[in-house]
Amino acid sequence: MTRYLLQRLISLIPTLLGVTVVIFLLLRLIPGDPAVAMLGEHAAQENVERIRAQFGLNRPLFLDPAALENNDFAGFFDSQYLRFLYRLGQGDLGNSIHRRIPIADELKQRFPATVELSLFAMALAVAIGIPAGIVSAARRNSIWDGISMVGSLIGVSMPIFWLGLMLIMLFAVLLNWFPIGGRLDHDTKLTVITNFFLIDSLITANLPALWDTLKHLIMPAIALATIPMAIIARMTRSSMLEVLHADYIRTAHAKGLSERAVLIQHALKNAFLPVITIIGLQTGILLAGAILTETIFAWPGIGKWVYDAILGRDYPVVQGGTFLIALVFVLVNLLVDLSYAYLDPRIHYD
C-alpha cells in the first residue's frame, strides 16, 4: 500500500503540471486585456502598459526566443507561465489584478464556504440516494422502484438555477422558513476559527449560530445535491441488481439471515465500489460546479468569486482558484482509489 501510495503521489506531479498548462492556455484564449478591463477602454496607453508590466503581462507566454538571441538566458525563461509556476512552487498565488489583495488570503476566507456547502450537499445526496437505490433494487418493478427512478430522472433533468429560484420563492418568500442567501444572519454572533461555520459553532458551543448556519445551508445544499443524489440512487440500484442474483446472496438467504442483513452486510458491501467511485467524482464536480448555486443564493464561496474574476480577466485569481479546485479533485479521487482496498479484500496494491 505504501509503495502504491508513493507511486500515486508522484504521478500527481505531471497531472498537476498538465492542469497548470491547461488553465494558463485556456485563460489566455479569452478575448480581452486584463489591464484594459481594469482601467477601462478609454484609459491612456501608457497606463495600460504600466499595469501590464507591473503584473508581467508584457512578457511572452512560455519562452522568449528574442532574449536568447541576445545571450540573455535569464530573459529567455522570464515568461508569464514560468513566473506563475515559480510562484506556485513557493505557495504564492500572487495578488488580484483588480483588488490588489493576496489571493491566498481570499481563498482562506472563501474556500471553506464552498467546501462546507459541497460536503453538506454530498452528505445529503448520499443519505437519500443510497437508501433509495437499495429499496429500488430490493423491490424491483414495485411502486417504490417506480417512484425512486422517476424521482431520480427528474433530479438529473432539473436545471439547478430553476430549482434554486423555486426553492427561494416557496421556502424563503412565501413560507419564510429559510433565509434567501448568505451564510449567517447579520445579528448572529459567531467566533470564526476555521471558517467552517458548522465546525466553529460546534467548537464554541454556539447553538444559535449552529441553527442559523443550518438554515442558510439547507436550500443551497438541496439545489446542489439534486443531480448527485439522482446519479447515486441510479448507480446504487444498478450495482445492487447485479449482486442480488449472485450465489452468495442466495446462500445468505438460505442461512436464514434477515433481509436487512443480506442487503446491508452482503449485497451493499459488494456493490459499493462503483458507488464510491461516483461519490468521489461527484464531490469534485460539486466543488468546481457550485458557481450557479453560489450565485443564486449569494453564497460567499470560491465559485462566484472565480466567475467574477473570469469576467474581469483577473488571471491570477482564476489560476489560483482553479488550481486549488483541481488539486482537491485529484486528492479526493486518490482517496477513493485507496478506499477500494478496504472495501474489497480481493484488491491488493502491493
Side-chain angles (χ1 to χ4, degrees):
M1 177 63 82
T2 304
R3 182 181 177 185
Y4 174 77
L5 178 61
L6 289 176
Q7 289 176 342
R8 286 297 307 269
L9 290 175
I10 293 173
S11 71
L12 293 183
I13 296 175
T15 302
L16 293 176
L17 279 176
V19 168
T20 61
V21 172
V22 171
I23 294 172
F24 182 83
L25 283 179
L26 290 181
L27 198 55
R28 266 65 182 179
L29 292 177
I30 300 175
D33 189 320
V36 175
M38 176 183 177
L39 299 176
E41 294 182 357
H42 303 291
Q45 186 60 33
E46 57 268 23
N47 290 332
V48 173
E49 293 300 329
R50 178 175 55 80
I51 294 296
R52 288 176 56 81
Q54 181 179 350
F55 288 94
L57 299 173
N58 58 344
R59 299 300 305 162
L61 292 183
F62 289 98
L63 297 171
D64 188 0
L68 190 62
E69 293 176 358
N70 298 324
N71 296 324
D72 182 5
F73 291 101
F76 178 67
F77 293 104
D78 186 13
S79 65
Q80 294 184 45
Y81 175 72
L82 292 181
R83 284 186 180 187
F84 163 58
L85 208 58
Y86 177 73
R87 287 198 303 265
L88 195 62
Q90 295 181 320
D92 179 14
L93 298 177
N95 295 332
S96 166
I97 293 178
H98 292 281
R99 299 181 61 189
R100 308 294 185 93
I101 58 175
I103 295 170
D105 292 346
E106 193 72 10
L107 281 175
K108 290 178 184 175
Q109 299 293 324
R110 293 180 172 273
F111 195 58
T114 298
V115 172
E116 189 172 63
L117 174 61
S118 300
L119 293 183
F120 194 82
M122 181 50 69
L124 196 63
V126 170
I128 298 177
I130 290 180
I134 294 173
V135 172
S136 182
R139 301 287 183 268
R140 187 181 183 187
N141 297 328
S142 68
I143 185 172
W144 298 112
D145 186 20
I147 292 174
S148 174
M149 289 303 98
V150 170
S152 62
L153 183 60
I154 293 174
V156 170
S157 309
M158 197 180 310
I160 290 180
F161 69 91
W162 179 85
L163 177 61
L165 293 175
M166 292 301 104
L167 289 173
I168 290 175
M169 181 61 69
L170 177 60
F171 295 108
V173 177
L174 295 179
L175 300 176
N176 199 25
W177 287 0
F178 302 111
I180 292 177
R183 296 184 72 188
L184 213 59
D185 285 340
H186 295 295
D187 55 352
T188 301
K189 305 298 181 185
L190 175 64
T191 302
V192 177
I193 301 173
T194 64
N195 276 320
F196 292 92
F197 284 3
L198 283 177
I199 296 176
D200 290 343
S201 56
L202 289 172
I203 292 175
T204 58
N206 190 341
L207 293 182
L210 177 63
W211 175 239
D212 197 33
T213 302
L214 286 173
K215 285 199 303 181
H216 283 80
L217 263 174
I218 288 175
M219 283 203 301
I222 290 175
L224 196 60
T226 306
I227 292 178
M229 186 190 305
I231 294 174
I232 290 171
R234 296 183 75 87
M235 179 56 70
T236 304
R237 178 183 184 272
S238 175
S239 300
M240 289 287 288
L241 286 176
E242 289 183 10
V243 301
L244 283 177
H245 297 289
D247 291 340
Y248 62 87
I249 296 296
R250 282 193 288 271
T251 303
H253 281 297
K255 289 167 62 179
L257 296 178
S258 66
E259 185 176 12
R260 176 190 290 267
V262 173
L263 289 175
I264 303 300
Q265 298 177 9
H266 295 271
L268 180 60
K269 185 177 180 181
N270 290 282
F272 206 60
L273 286 185
V275 180
I276 195 69
T277 304
I278 291 296
I279 291 174
L281 291 174
Q282 289 296 317
T283 302
I285 292 172
L286 285 185
L287 285 171
I291 294 177
L292 274 178
T293 308
E294 291 183 358
T295 303
I296 293 170
F297 292 96
W299 191 262
I302 191 176
K304 180 67 167 56
W305 183 50
V306 172
Y307 172 74
D308 291 337
I310 292 173
L311 295 180
R313 315 294 190 273
D314 200 337
Y315 291 167
V317 171
V318 181
Q319 289 171 172
T322 310
F323 180 79
L324 181 61
I325 292 173
L327 177 63
V328 174
F329 189 90
V330 296
L331 290 178
V332 168
N333 281 279
L334 174 61
L335 291 176
V336 169
D337 287 348
L338 295 177
S339 70
Y340 291 163
Y342 293 99
L343 293 172
D344 191 341
R346 295 170 297 180
I347 298 177
H348 299 281
Y349 289 125
D350 292 328

